[in-house]
Amino acid sequence: MNRSPLVWLFLALVLGAYAVTIFVSDSEQTWWSILSGIFIAAASLVTLWRFNREVRKNRQP
């Protein structure tokens, strides 16, 4: 297996954890923190999709 899918998985996990900490730690939830949390969560989902695509590409003969 190529290392590239693991990099995408690691990036998705880091971004997802960062988005969760933004939503959990900010007590007053300003519009900027909500917007950045949504943006980072979306970026995490995109990198997770990219990980799945790379894994499928590496499995095909």
Side-chain angles (χ1 to χ4, degrees), residues 44-57:
S44 174
L45 290 175
V46 168
T47 55
L48 190 60
W49 169 77
R50 180 73 188 244
F51 165 74
N52 286 332
R53 194 175 79 166
E54 290 289 328
V55 167
R56 285 189 202 134
K57 186 176 76 171

Side-chain angles (χ1 to χ4, degrees), residues 3-4 6 13-15 22 26-27 29 31 43 48 52 57:
R3 288 186 187 177
S4 179
L6 295 178
L13 291 174
V14 168
L15 288 173
I22 286 175
D26 194 12
S27 60
Q29 290 292 324
W31 68 272
L48 190 60
N52 286 332
K57 186 176 76 171

Side-chain angles (χ1 to χ4, degrees):
M1 187 163 116
N2 193 1
R3 288 186 187 177
S4 179
L6 295 178
V7 171
W8 287 112
L9 178 62
F10 180 70
L11 183 61
L13 291 174
V14 168
L15 288 173
Y18 188 61
V20 167
T21 57
I22 286 175
F23 287 127
V24 170
S25 67
D26 194 12
S27 60
E28 60 187 50
Q29 290 292 324
T30 62
W31 68 272
W32 177 248
S33 64
I34 293 172
L35 184 65
S36 62
I38 290 171
F39 182 74
I40 293 171
S44 174
L45 290 175
V46 168
T47 55
L48 190 60
W49 169 77
R50 180 73 188 244
F51 165 74
N52 286 332
R53 194 175 79 166
E54 290 289 328
V55 167
R56 285 189 202 134
K57 186 176 76 171
N58 285 341
R59 285 187 185 172
Q60 294 176 354

